[in-house]
Structure formats: structure tokens, C-alpha cells
Amino acid sequence: MTDAVLRPVPFDPEIAPIIEAMATEPQPAMTEETLPLMRGSDTAFPAADAALVARERGIEAEERRIPGPAGAPELELTLFRPVEHSAAASVPAIVNIHGGGMIVGHRSWEHARIADLVEELGVVGVNVEYRLAPEHPFPAGVDDNYTAVAWVAAHAAELGVDASRIVVMGGSAGGGFSAAVALMARDRGGPALAGQLLLCPMLDNTNTSVASRQYDGIGTWQREANLFAWRCVLGEELAGSPEAPAYAAPSRADDLSGLPPAFIEVGAAEMFRDEDVDYASRIWATGGQAELHVWQGGFHGFDMYAPEAEITKAALATRVSWLRRILGLAAPMGDNE
Amino acid sequence: MTGRGPAPVPYDSELEPGLAFFLDLVEQIPLRAETILANREHFATIIQPMSTQVGELPVEWEDRVIPGPEGAPDVAITIVRPAGSAGGAPRPAPGVLGIHGGGYVLGTRFFGTGELIDLALRYGTVGIAVEYRLAPEHPAPAQVEDCYAALEWFAANAVELGIDPDRIIVSGASAGGGLAAAVSLVARDRGGPALAGQLLNTPMIDDRNDTVSAHQYDGIGAWDRNNNDTGWNAMLGADRGTDRVSPHTAPARAADLGGLPPAFIEVGSAEVFRDEATDYALRIWAAGGRAELHVWSGAYHGFSGFSPDAIVSHAAISARDSWLRRVFAG
């Protein structure tokens, strides 16, 4: 099959108008020159105030600074906790790593995503700030994220967290980082994670799948942006290389056994579809646990752009179901009745 | 858990009682060529008659005999609809062609009517359950031809049945899922009735039985690799595994998965059909087609029916409902 006849999977009719509206106001291509503009842009996901996000949900927020990786700056975290949560408690923790192609974004874009889970599940949420490429190429970002997860595990008692029930999660680049953190924790004998929640994760630097070619010039995260992002993270030489390190691009890992249970969600109409399905398939082939959901006609990050859509509601309910199973949290009375 | 193949994906512990129940109730007798008849007799004792399935529910049913494929016997069907809807509803109802499972060798249409009763109650659908001929007495393609004849009749009689011909889906589990996929291919290839969707619940679509998951569940679990061999041998005989196998019998063999109705594909991560179901979805997407795929962690073949109270089963049923809402809204 040649690119000339490669047809993309159509978008879900309920959310397609979002893409059509975006197409009428095209964004400039992602380049080193336009990156500052992209980072400053808050039209898609306005920067949220953590205290306000917490107040709206009846939970509490706290800003923390923790030591960074050896020789690197401190890290900023935002903690979200149920009210009157004390160190005597022992609840699960979910560490969220924000998206943005490893080159843009800020944790405040996703305060709502993690705060919603704190409100619904009574867990402690941790939202991590990490260094972005290209100013800070691999391994700066993943080292920051690993350090944050290790800090949560080491400070579980102080945080009122059950160290055996820590989940790492993220969307897009945050999903790629989450997968990488899970690999590092396995390889280094680090924190025993209870799960990895990977939302449309950015896993494969080679951009060779069918899906990666179907979304060339359409969608919320397009092929050119992805190619640029990987160049920023890995440099020209390794950007598309099968020799790239697995902690940068988890699809490069030879061995996917011995990992914490994975939840992998992706849209059928986006460029990460095939690499995400492949990651799940390779985990199963080792006898590992993974759950895979590919939502019909979903574009990249559909839940963030279309929070009220039918597929978003279904996807969010499915995530929460998995978290309850992994974390041993009972379903509320009347659920699904 | 020990089998003969590579290390399997473990089961969700909440599902293990349901799996044990399934094995005890449904798979008392390992399914081999020489035990097909004994298994049919056993199935006859566990499939409830319609009067029991419906009970006091506000659903009505009617048995009919419709023309079979050319040169073949007539086909028995059962129509399942909301009570009192036979005179026609304000808006024509969605239609569901329901195809039962049983490895192409077991079961009757009343093994699949539970789904049609449920959909009639919750979505107001009019369903028909098809009594297709079983292998090995009737090798492929008798099964898909009977089901396709039923689809043609269903679409041609839409007005009488009060269904919307633009909102007919085909649905089935296991061999029924395989036949639902096959009917969708036949309808495309013959320019037959337009389908609004194909609901493929843990579909049996690949006679080669040679994926990683097919080897992981060799000697363990519900509908293991050996049962699967039995079903495909009965369907295909000496043709099995050769290039003489038609995609209308084993849909995984189709070279072209473009131009098909939207697919909903559901499977457990801990069962034989995991990899063939996943691959089928991938190939539909590669052709620019619409498909939704759900692979439930630690789930065995048929988990949502036999462990209905487990959290994962609730989630699976909810996801299926979401897709049905989207398809029936169209």
C-alpha cells in the first residue's frame, strides 16, 4: 500500500466538528521558531490555578519542591488530596505526567484531569513538572519524572499513601514518560508500581506505522509535529532510529515482561493508534497484564477537547473501572445499574 | 495455571469463580471430533426455552420459517421484539441479526436470544435469531449462507417488521462473532443489505489457530486451543489451513477489510481469540475503516456473561452500550 491510497479512519461524527473548526484557523507548523508561541498558547488548555481546581472539587492542593535528579534543578509538584487527609491514611497515589510532545505543556494544563480522579477515587494525586526538549533533551525529562515517582514512593508514609498502590499515568508524551518510568523502575529495582495508565501514549520514535502515515496533515497531533518532537528529544541522528534508547521511546524496549499492569487507551483516528496497540500486544505475548481500548473515531486527546462527547464519557468510565480493579477500590453502589 | 504453551496472561481474580462455573457448566466434556454429539446433548440441557428466558419481561417472540440459501433448506428464525410493538412504533426500530456461538458445531438459536431480549428491552430493537446449520454435518459455507439469507430476509421485510433498514446491525459472540464478521464481508462483496454495524464479541475468525494467544491458552481456560481446533476441523476438513479457505468462512483470511460497516470488537486479554481479534481491528483501521477495540484485562472467553457482577464485566457491558448508542443514533 502506498501513501497515495492511504485513507485515514474517519473521526467520530460527534467530535469531528472540533477538527473542522481547527482546520479553519491553521496553527503554524511546529519549529524551533514557533515553539515559544506554542508554549505560551493557552487557547486549547488554559493554565489552571491549582487552588481553584481543588476548591471546585472539594479537595485540597499544595505546591511542593523536591530534589531533582543528581546535578539537576529541583522539581515542582502539585499535590491534590482529599480534605482532612492525614499521614495516618494509606490511600493509593496517582502520579500524572502532562502531555505536549515532550516539548510543550505545563502541569497546570492537566490539573483538572488528576484532580477529577482524586475527587472520584479518594486517592492522592501528584502532578509533575519536568524539563522540556529541545533545551533539555533526553534523558532530562524522563529522569525528572522517574525522580518524582521515586520521591512519592519514598515519602509514602508522610503523604498518607500506600506505597504498594502507586500508579503512574499520563497522556501523549506523558503516556510515553509513564511507560518509560515503568521500564526504569523494573530495571533499577525501583518503586513497585501498581499500574501504568497510558493515554494515547507517544511510544515509538520511528514513525513507521500505518497510523503514523494516516494522520499526515490532519488531527490534533500530526505527523510533522511528531517528527519535530522526536528530533527535539533525541537529536537528528537518533530521532527516527531503531537504535534509540527505550527510556526515550518505550517501543524500543526488547523486553516488556515484568511490568506493572498497563491500561492503554487511544483513538482509532490518530497517529499513535498502531504503536499503542503493538505495545499492548507485546506485553500480552510475555504473559503480562494489559488492557487496551481503541475508541472508534477518536482523535488524539479527544477527551481533553470534547469532554462532553459520548466517547469521552465512555472512555473516562472505563479508565476509572480499571483503576478501581488495580487499586482494589470497590465500585460505588448503583454503578452500572 | 499451567498449559502447554508460552506463559499466559493471568486471569483477573474477580473472574475466577465465573470461569470455574463456565468450565463446569459449559465445558464438562472436552470438545473433540468424537465428542461433538455428546456436547450437543449437554448443550440441550443448559439452553433455556424462550418461555423461561423471557419470563415476565415485556418482550414478545415469534418463530418463523424463512427461505434458505438457493438450493438449501428453509431456515428457522425467532423474532424478538418489545411487547406490544408488533403494530409498529412511531419511529422504526433498530434491527439486530443475532447469531449464536458454539464453535460452529454446537448450540441452537436460543443460545443467542438472551442478547436479543436484552437489546429489545433497553433499545427497543427488533431482533431475529438464526438457526444456521452446524458442522461437521454441514461444512462451510452452510453457516454463513444461512445467516446471510436471514439478513436478506430481514432487510427485505423491514417494513413489516417495523425496523429501520438503515439501522440494522449484525451481532454475535464467539462463532457467532465470526459469522457476524463473515456476513458483513458477504454483504459487502455481493452488494447486499447495508449494515449499520457489526458487533463482534470475542469473534472466532482465524482457522489457522496459530497466534501467540492461541498457543498461550493451549490446555487451559474457556474455549482453549484444542476446542478451537475441533470447531475449525469440523468446518473445513482437509481445506483447513490451506489457501482454499474462503474469507467468508474465516474472516481473518480476507485480503481486503475496506468498505465494511463499523465494527465493535471485544475480547479478553486471557483467551485464544485475543490476537486474531486485535489484528482484525488493526487491518480495518489500516484500510481507513471504522472499528472500536476493547481488550479486557485478565478476561476469559465469555467473561461478561458468566461473571456479570465483576467490575470488569460492568465496564465491558457499559462500553458495548456506548457503542450501540452511537451506532443507533446514526
Side-chain angles (χ1 to χ4, degrees):
Chain A
M1 196 184 305
T2 67
D3 283 14
V5 296
L6 202 57
R7 292 193 308 123
V9 176
F11 300 119
D12 174 64
E14 187 183 2
I15 63 174
I18 294 168
I19 298 285
E20 288 156 15
M22 291 173 82
T24 64
E25 291 178 48
Q27 296 284 306
M30 273 204 177
T31 64
E32 300 253 8
E33 290 69 40
T34 61
L35 206 49
L37 178 69
M38 300 292 181
R39 288 181 184 168
S41 166
D42 63 1
T43 49
F45 307 114
D49 175 65
L52 179 62
V53 166
R55 197 156 59 241
E56 287 170 347
R57 290 164 178 78
I59 62 173
E60 291 175 352
E62 181 193 349
E63 301 296 343
R64 293 285 280 263
R65 297 181 78 87
I66 65 165
E74 288 189 318
L75 301 177
E76 296 175 9
L77 309 177
T78 304
L79 305 182
F80 291 98
R81 286 182 284 221
V83 288
E84 294 174 19
H85 180 79
S86 77
S90 183
V91 303
I94 303 176
V95 181
N96 184 66
I97 304 173
H98 72 78
M102 311 190 192
I103 55 176
V104 302
H106 186 270
R107 70 187 184 285
S108 61
W109 289 10
E110 296 187 12
H111 280 339
R113 172 179 267 174
I114 184 68
D116 282 347
L117 293 172
V118 173
E119 180 190 8
E120 181 156 11
L121 298 172
V123 300
V124 168
V126 182
N127 207 4
V128 184
E129 204 59 56
Y130 56 86
R131 288 169 290 167
L132 299 175
E135 297 90 331
H136 304 282
F138 176 80
V142 73
D143 279 351
D144 286 355
N145 285 309
Y146 182 79
T147 299
V149 172
W151 180 87
V152 172
H155 294 76
E158 175 216 330
L159 295 169
V161 160
D162 176 355
S164 71
R165 291 190 294 166
I166 298 171
V167 169
V168 60
M169 74 168 278
S172 194
F177 279 127
S178 296
V181 165
L183 290 168
M184 292 167 79
R186 176 196 66 179
D187 298 346
R188 297 178 179 178
L193 295 170
Q196 45 179 333
L197 182 79
L198 313 180
L199 307 174
C200 51
M202 177 178 176
L203 299 170
D204 184 354
N205 63 307
T206 63
N207 291 283
T208 49
S209 72
V210 172
S212 77
R213 291 182 288 121
Q214 282 175 315
Y215 296 90
D216 189 350
I218 50 167
T220 51
W221 182 250
Q222 303 179 3
R223 180 175 176 84
E224 284 306 317
N226 204 49
L227 292 170
F228 172 67
W230 283 114
R231 285 198 300 274
C232 290
V233 173
L234 287 168
E236 288 289 344
E237 197 165 320
L238 280 178
S241 168
E243 304 301 320
Y247 299 161
S251 293
R252 302 278 70 74
D254 293 327
D255 176 10
L256 296 182
S257 66
L259 292 170
F263 179 96
I264 302 177
E265 172 196 307
V266 68
E270 69 154 290
M271 61 171 297
F272 294 156
R273 179 193 69 222
D274 295 345
E275 63 199 66
D276 294 355
V277 171
D278 181 66
Y279 204 70
S281 292
R282 292 178 54 210
I283 290 172
W284 295 321
T286 71
Q289 297 179 56
E291 180 154 306
L292 173 67
H293 300 285
V294 187
W295 297 94
Q296 183 169 296
F299 55 72
H300 186 69
F302 64 87
D303 60 309
M304 304 278 279
Y305 291 90
E308 298 300 322
E310 169 69 35
I311 62 166
T312 299
K313 290 175 185 168
L316 293 177
T318 306
R319 287 178 203 169
V320 168
S321 166
W322 181 81
L323 284 167
R324 289 189 189 284
R325 283 176 268 144
I326 289 299
L327 298 172
L329 302 169
M333 294 296 286
D335 185 38
N336 290 305
E337 293 300 325
Chain B
M1 188 161 58
T2 52
R4 288 187 283 270
V9 175
Y11 296 114
D12 178 333
S13 59
E14 202 185 1
L15 295 178
E16 291 191 13
L19 172 59
F21 178 67
F22 179 100
L23 294 174
D24 187 52
L25 181 73
V26 180
E27 296 193 359
Q28 280 184 0
I29 311 164
L31 184 67
R32 303 293 180 265
E34 64 279 9
T35 64
I36 289 174
L37 291 179
N39 268 283
R40 282 188 197 160
E41 286 170 18
H42 176 61
F43 257 57
T45 68
I46 61 176
I47 297 173
Q48 301 294 323
M50 282 303 281
S51 55
T52 305
Q53 291 190 32
V54 172
E56 300 297 311
L57 298 171
V59 166
E60 58 194 35
W61 76 94
E62 176 192 351
D63 293 328
R64 291 255 192 122
V65 175
I66 63 170
E70 195 175 339
D74 288 345
V75 173
I77 64 165
T78 296
I79 303 168
V80 179
R81 59 165 71 247
S85 68
R91 185 186 180 196
V96 184
L97 177 69
I99 307 176
H100 74 81
Y104 301 111
V105 297
L106 303 175
T108 69
R109 65 189 185 282
F110 303 110
F111 195 45
T113 36
E115 183 200 18
L116 299 181
I117 293 168
D118 185 53
L119 292 175
L121 287 171
R122 293 188 304 126
Y123 293 95
T125 57
V126 174
I128 63 171
V130 189
E131 197 63 67
Y132 60 85
R133 288 167 289 168
L134 299 176
E137 296 88 337
H138 304 281
Q143 296 72 26
V144 69
E145 292 298 347
D146 287 354
C147 293
Y148 184 71
L151 173 64
E152 288 192 305
W153 180 87
F154 200 30
N157 291 276
V159 173
E160 185 224 326
L161 294 165
I163 62 166
D164 178 353
D166 292 328
R167 290 191 299 159
I168 297 175
I169 68 166
V170 56
S171 175
S174 197
L179 286 167
V183 164
S184 300
L185 289 166
V186 173
R188 177 197 67 179
D189 295 345
R190 296 182 189 166
L195 287 163
Q198 46 177 332
L199 198 165
L200 314 181
N201 189 346
T202 182
M204 177 175 174
I205 54 178
D206 191 346
D207 62 294
R208 292 161 293 193
N209 202 19
D210 196 34
T211 62
V212 172
S213 56
H215 288 282
Q216 283 175 314
Y217 298 91
D218 181 348
I220 53 170
W223 195 255
D224 85 323
R225 174 180 174 75
N226 302 288
N227 280 20
N228 202 41
D229 270 335
T230 304
W232 284 115
N233 286 337
M235 281 279 275
L236 289 163
D239 283 350
R240 185 176 167 214
T242 70
D243 58 10
R244 295 192 297 277
V245 176
S246 164
H248 293 171
T249 299
R253 300 294 203 124
D256 175 11
L257 295 180
L260 292 170
F264 180 91
I265 303 176
E266 168 186 334
V267 71
S269 74
E271 65 161 300
V272 162
F273 294 149
R274 181 193 70 219
D275 292 343
E276 63 197 68
T278 301
D279 185 64
Y280 203 68
L282 280 169
R283 293 177 51 216
I284 290 173
W285 296 319
R290 286 173 288 178
E292 178 155 312
L293 174 67
H294 298 280
V295 186
W296 298 97
S297 189
Y300 63 89
H301 186 69
F303 69 101
S304 64
F306 281 83
S307 300
D309 296 324
I311 298 177
V312 65
S313 302
H314 282 185
I317 293 162
S318 293
R320 207 184 299 150
D321 278 341
S322 171
W323 183 81
L324 287 167
R325 279 195 294 275
R326 285 175 268 143
V327 167
F328 289 155

